[in-house]
Amino acid sequence: MISYWENKNLLNFDVLVIGSGICGLSTACSIKEKNKNLKVAIVERGILPSGASTKNAGFACIGNPTEDLADLALMGEKALIELVHKRYQGLQILRNRLGDENINYEATGSHEIIFHNQEFDESKIELLNQLLFPIFNTSVFEKMPSHHSYFGFDKNKVQSIYKNILDGQIDTGLMMDCYVTYANRLGIRIFTGTSVETFEDLGNSVEINLKSEVHSIKMKAKKLAICTNAFSKKLLPDLDLQPGRGQVLITNEIEGLQLNGTYSFDEGYYYFRNVGKRVLFGGGRNLDFKTEESLEFELNPTIQNQLISHLKEWIIPQHDFTIERQWTGIMAFGGNKTPFIKQLSNNVVAGVRMNGMGVALSGKIGEELAEMLLN
Ligand SMILES: Cc1cc2nc3c(=O)[nH]c(=O)nc-3n(C[C@H](O)[C@H](O)[C@H](O)COP(=O)(O)OP(=O)(O)OC[C@H]3O[C@@H](n4cnc5c(N)ncnc54)[C@H](O)[C@@H]3O)c2cc1C
């Protein structure tokens, strides 16, 4: 039962955004930055954002060689260059909006590890550098000198390391906390603990049906942005989208840890970094693709054990460590690596399917969605 007051002030907006992950926050903030007079609200089903944005590894990255080469084969040169450029632009938006010191941004570079037993054509690095040169005016990927200690990795396993000089890392928790504070400061309302069940474009307005333990109500807006990433099939059942769960763990603090920055291997399927003196390690979806096509936040023991084995065998073989926490987050993938950004009807847009580098991408996608909605 809705009161007169609720109906008058609390349930009607200029723009509604579904999903308070980094993409939803970015979209809402871009709209408010462009027009501060608009009444904007975000609706989130979780108490916290409940997908990928508070679960990820905090790589502020635009690409790594083997993943870029796989994407090049899949998507072609133009689409790859566009995607890498959007990640870069998105990162600049994120950093400028929130401030490097507030998100603990560190320009550490990212490192892709190549193994002795891996098939890898070194000449392809030059091809990638040439493709990306017109955007960045520099060679993005550098081979690290072979006399380098390689951060203490077992040299019987690691053959070489390529550094992406433009990448860095952030503190994911700080970034999301800071984003919510920033959005609140702009006057954006965030409703949590309520799931959007359906939406309808009524021609001159949009209506969403919300459900929580207490409420089953409707909200109205002139415009709607759907930023529900892996969970989008509920609202957009025909979308080409598969969820992809990511397994993550973090160790205790390790004295004398040599890691500094972000590292990946196997086309980006595995990724690790230092968080102070701890090692955060995630990935391994390719060990068990089918099970990991899931929307459930559950640990996969096979993958988690594989992550621990990698740590013990060659990443930090010289250190004793314990696992302090394990968790999962859910990403969204499609037939290729491009996100799904579309005007669905007169008043409804969607920006979903953010893949594995959505921290970078979201700033740009939010800006594009805002432009689509406001024009
Ligand atoms: C383990 C892991 C590691 C990752 N590491 C990195 C990394 O290091 N660097 C990087 O760039 N990217 C990384 N990513 C990817 C990145 O985190 C995502 O691409 C990005 O967070 C996607 O943001 P989003 O806002 O689109 O989605 P989400 O963060 O999933 O947000 C969608 C939100 O919508 C809400 N929602 C869904 N349906 C409804 C509904 N019906 N009603 C109301 N609310 C709803 C959800 O609860 C959720 O909060 C990683 C992802 C994972 C899982």
Side-chain angles (χ1 to χ4, degrees):
M1 199 181 292
I2 301 300
S3 75
Y4 167 76
W5 311 112
E6 286 166 342
N7 188 50
K8 184 166 76 74
N9 288 98
L10 301 175
L11 299 174
N12 282 288
F13 295 90
D14 291 308
V15 184
L16 277 167
V17 176
I18 312 177
S20 75
I22 182 170
C23 186
L25 285 163
S26 164
T27 304
C29 291
S30 282
I31 291 166
K32 267 295 217 187
E33 285 166 353
K34 287 175 198 301
N35 185 344
K36 67 177 174 16
N37 296 319
L38 292 177
K39 203 173 162 189
V40 178
I42 302 176
V43 182
E44 165 59 47
R45 66 186 182 132
I47 295 169
L48 298 173
S50 306
S53 298
T54 51
K55 315 281 192 187
N56 63 56
F59 285 36
C61 55
I62 58 168
N64 61 67
T66 59
E67 189 171 348
D68 280 359
L69 288 170
D71 291 348
L72 181 64
L74 190 71
M75 308 161 61
E77 291 182 2
K78 187 168 173 286
L80 174 76
I81 295 169
E82 233 168 64
L83 183 62
V84 174
H85 194 193
K86 276 191 184 186
R87 288 177 188 148
Y88 184 77
Q89 291 170 310
L91 267 181
Q92 302 315 303
I93 291 171
L94 178 77
R95 292 175 57 193
N96 290 336
R97 186 173 273 155
L98 302 184
D100 284 351
E101 64 290 355
N102 295 323
I103 59 175
N104 260 1
Y105 176 82
E106 294 175 76
T108 49
S110 66
H111 309 84
E112 161 127 33
I113 297 161
I114 307 294
F115 301 119
H116 289 293
N117 62 358
Q118 183 175 347
E119 262 183 44
F120 180 67
D121 179 356
E122 232 183 52
S123 67
K124 294 272 174 64
I125 295 286
E126 198 35 46
L127 168 72
L128 282 178
N129 275 335
Q130 278 172 15
L131 285 177
L132 298 177
F133 193 87
I135 300 173
F136 300 113
N137 219 15
T138 185
S139 289
V140 175
F141 301 110
E142 283 177 357
K143 187 173 184 180
M144 294 193 72
S146 53
H147 57 75
H148 190 277
S149 75
Y150 286 173
F151 309 95
F153 302 143
D154 182 351
K155 284 195 171 168
N156 294 320
K157 176 92 178 164
V158 175
Q159 198 237 325
S160 53
I161 297 183
Y162 289 88
K163 181 170 181 175
N164 176 330
I165 60 164
L166 299 178
D167 281 354
Q169 59 180 0
I170 60 167
D171 180 318
T172 293
L174 275 183
M175 180 272 290
M176 285 300 286
D177 191 35
C178 191
Y179 229 139
V180 169
T181 307
Y182 181 83
N184 286 335
R185 225 182 286 134
L186 288 178
I188 295 164
R189 289 286 311 268
I190 304 179
F191 296 97
T192 59
T194 177
S195 163
V196 177
E197 300 297 298
T198 56
F199 70 96
E200 192 179 353
D201 190 336
L202 302 171
N204 54 3
S205 65
V206 186
E207 194 170 76
I208 61 173
N209 286 298
L210 292 159
K211 200 166 171 195
S212 73
E213 261 196 28
V214 181
H215 286 115
S216 222
I217 55 175
K218 293 180 193 302
M219 278 187 184
K220 265 196 172 178
K222 293 183 186 126
K223 304 279 175 186
L224 175 70
I226 300 175
C227 300
T228 45
N229 205 33
F231 306 89
S232 301
K233 282 236 172 190
K234 178 172 174 178
L235 299 172
L236 309 169
D238 298 330
L239 198 64
D240 163 28
L241 184 148
Q242 287 84 43
R245 188 166 59 194
Q247 303 281 329
V248 191
L249 59 76
I250 193 161
T251 68
N252 62 328
E253 290 197 342
I254 299 170
E255 284 312 318
L257 185 73
Q258 282 178 263
L259 299 187
N260 184 32
T262 68
Y263 305 81
S264 63
F265 58 93
D266 200 359
E267 294 181 12
Y269 278 113
Y270 291 86
Y271 40 89
F272 60 95
R273 60 172 281 191
N274 74 303
V275 180
K277 291 178 184 173
R278 299 170 205 276
V279 183
L280 181 153
F281 193 9
R285 226 168 26 93
N286 53 345
L287 272 182
D288 194 358
F289 271 127
K290 215 62 222 144
T291 310
E292 296 307 287
E293 258 183 35
S294 171
L295 290 174
E296 303 300 322
F297 293 88
E298 283 169 358
L299 297 179
N300 181 324
T302 309
I303 297 176
Q304 288 281 344
N305 288 337
Q306 180 63 261
L307 298 179
I308 295 169
S309 297
H310 279 301
L311 285 174
K312 283 187 180 159
E313 283 166 16
W314 63 272
I315 296 175
I316 43 171
Q318 66 281 44
H319 293 290
D320 286 328
F321 62 89
T322 55
I323 303 300
E324 210 167 86
R325 189 173 287 272
Q326 295 163 293
W327 69 90
T328 59
I330 319 282
M331 293 167 275
F333 299 94
N336 67 33
K337 282 287 185 68
T338 49
F340 179 87
I341 312 162
K342 206 163 178 179
Q343 181 103 33
L344 298 176
S345 63
N346 254 356
N347 300 308
V348 182
V349 299
V352 301
R353 213 172 61 194
M354 306 296 281
N355 296 297
M357 293 192 202
V359 169
L361 207 49
S362 294
K364 181 67 181 157
I365 303 307
E367 193 173 84
E368 288 182 14
L369 292 177
E371 273 161 18
M372 284 161 81
L373 280 178
L374 298 181
N375 295 331

